[in-house]
Amino acid sequence: MSATADSSHLAAQVDPRFDEVGCLFFVIGAQKAGTTWLSRYFLEHPNVSVPYWKEHNYWNMVEGKPNPGRMLMAQIKRRESEGVLRKAVATLPFTRHAKRQRAITLALRAADAPFPPYSAYADVIMENVTDQTAAAGELCPQYALLAPETYQKMSQLSKNTRFIFMMRDPVSRMVSQARHSLRKEAKSAKTPEDSLSELLQNLAQRAKAGHLTRSSYDKTIARLEERVPQENILYVFFEDLFNQDQVKRICSFVGAPFVPGDVARKRNVAGKNAVAVRAEDRCQMARALKPVYDFSIKRFGSELPSKWQESAALC
């Protein structure tokens, strides 16, 4: 079925609230590609509505994964461990913590109803919509792993559904992901440099075996464009994200007025004390990801940021 397939058969099966905003959007992309920064920007935008809790994984649940029970138990545990003051703050409707707790409650209800007419999910998306809202949606890196049929279902929720696919130089993204994993791990007897090198080598082997799907932008793009018209997809490079022209481009795509973003504030940045990456590890990762670089150069050409070009040269 082509990306321009008629959607009338599904429109009658979905909650009509999805059509109450000018644009319904989904931001997908690999982790460490800027979705956290963009989520914060949208939360502060007066004409854009997104949930206060990011990454619902709802459409992955529609496909039968991941197990929503794990998410449910994690949130129940977190609530049980909160102190008296924190629980009291959650009862005040206009605090950030209360809004987040409300968003989590709605997300958990949606996890129990991953099927048409998607009304519990509409509760999630429409929670913060006002008469000033021009666009509403959510951001979830996991949606880069969905099947073409699921992208079609998402695109048919509204008359104007759009996708933003955020990409980062695959080698840089993997390095950032590895550093993040090491920071979360327990102390190791190895040096930070040795631990990072070992982890990157393991990731490179996984990439060679085709297991590193988060960096397989070529496959995500193929699945997405199989069922979604290209004019309804915006490709954004992490390396270009933190400037006002790019922010303006994103606002225009979802039909929202341009509001300057805090481009000096980057979320989840490793900082000056990040563990250095050995040159041989970068080369090994680049070679493992050569099919992604070959595709990206052919598809985007001169639009590719210089960081991508540098990594591609290591292949």
Side-chain angles (χ1 to χ4, degrees):
M1 188 179 296
S2 70
T4 56
D6 176 59
S7 63
S8 59
H9 70 286
L10 186 63
Q13 301 175 30
V14 301
D15 194 298
R17 288 176 292 169
F18 291 114
D19 250 339
E20 291 181 0
V21 290
C23 174
L24 176 68
F25 67 85
F26 298 96
V27 179
I28 69 176
Q31 291 177 328
K32 301 299 179 182
T35 55
T36 299
W37 183 91
L38 189 57
S39 177
R40 175 60 55 192
Y41 171 75
F42 280 152
L43 277 171
E44 296 172 353
H45 196 299
N47 307 108
V48 178
S49 175
V50 293
Y52 276 89
W53 189 43
K54 179 172 167 273
E55 299 184 29
H56 292 75
N57 294 333
Y58 181 79
W59 292 97
N60 301 89
M61 294 177 202
V62 170
E63 291 188 346
K65 54 185 187 293
N67 180 4
R70 197 169 94 179
M71 179 181 72
L72 174 63
M73 293 309 299
Q75 294 308 320
I76 290 175
K77 248 188 201 180
R78 178 178 294 179
R79 290 179 176 182
E80 288 177 345
S81 65
E82 289 182 338
V84 175
L85 180 59
R86 192 78 164 163
K87 290 178 179 177
V89 170
T91 65
L92 304 175
F94 301 110
T95 64
R96 184 178 294 276
H97 181 57
K99 291 176 180 177
R100 181 178 171 80
Q101 290 300 314
R102 169 67 176 166
I104 290 172
T105 297
L106 292 175
L108 294 175
R109 290 176 185 169
D112 289 331
F115 40 75
Y118 310 116
S119 293
Y121 181 63
D123 292 340
V124 169
I125 298 300
M126 305 302 289
E127 166 69 6
N128 302 315
V129 169
T130 70
D131 56 2
Q132 301 299 313
T133 301
E138 69 155 324
L139 304 87
C140 185
Q142 281 287 117
Y143 291 168
L145 308 179
L146 296 173
E149 296 78 14
T150 307
Y151 289 133
Q152 183 177 8
K153 292 177 183 178
M154 296 163 72
S155 70
Q156 293 172 340
L157 291 176
S158 161
K159 294 185 180 69
N160 184 26
T161 305
R162 304 202 161 203
F163 293 79
I164 299 175
F165 184 26
M166 303 184 70
M167 298 173 286
R168 182 178 183 177
D169 168 49
V171 169
S172 299
R173 194 202 71 77
M174 288 174 66
V175 168
S176 181
Q177 179 182 338
R179 285 172 172 160
H180 180 71
S181 297
L182 288 178
R183 288 196 298 270
K184 293 173 65 176
E185 285 181 358
K187 292 182 179 179
S188 170
K190 301 175 184 176
T191 66
E193 291 78 10
D194 287 341
S195 295
L196 180 61
S197 179
E198 181 179 296
L199 181 53
L200 291 176
Q201 289 174 23
N202 289 337
L203 288 172
Q205 290 302 318
R206 291 176 61 192
K208 286 180 182 177
H211 294 161
L212 207 63
T213 54
R214 293 185 185 278
S215 292
S216 300
Y217 306 142
D218 51 338
K219 295 177 182 177
T220 297
I221 290 174
R223 294 195 302 270
L224 187 59
E225 293 186 352
E226 181 180 327
R227 300 298 177 96
V228 179
Q230 290 189 29
E231 61 267 24
N232 291 343
I233 307 169
L234 180 69
Y235 295 108
V236 176
F237 297 109
F238 170 86
E239 293 80 5
D240 296 334
L241 178 61
F242 304 101
N243 70 77
Q244 302 301 355
D245 286 342
Q246 195 65 225
V247 176
K248 187 179 296 185
R249 179 171 172 248
I250 292 171
C251 287
S252 176
F253 182 71
V254 300
F258 168 63
V259 174
D262 185 358
V263 295
R265 178 188 64 192
K266 296 184 181 182
R267 307 290 295 181
N268 298 333
V269 177
K272 295 180 180 178
N273 298 322
V275 180
V277 181
R278 295 168 181 167
E280 58 267 30
D281 291 331
R282 284 191 182 276
C283 290
Q284 183 178 358
M285 292 166 58
R287 288 192 292 269
L289 291 163
K290 187 177 185 300
V292 181
Y293 283 108
D294 289 345
F295 167 85
S296 301
I297 290 171
K298 183 177 180 180
R299 174 62 186 268
F300 298 104
S302 60
E303 295 179 31
L304 276 183
S306 59
K307 189 67 178 177
W308 289 61
Q309 304 283 1
E310 293 169 7
S311 294
L314 299 175
C315 297

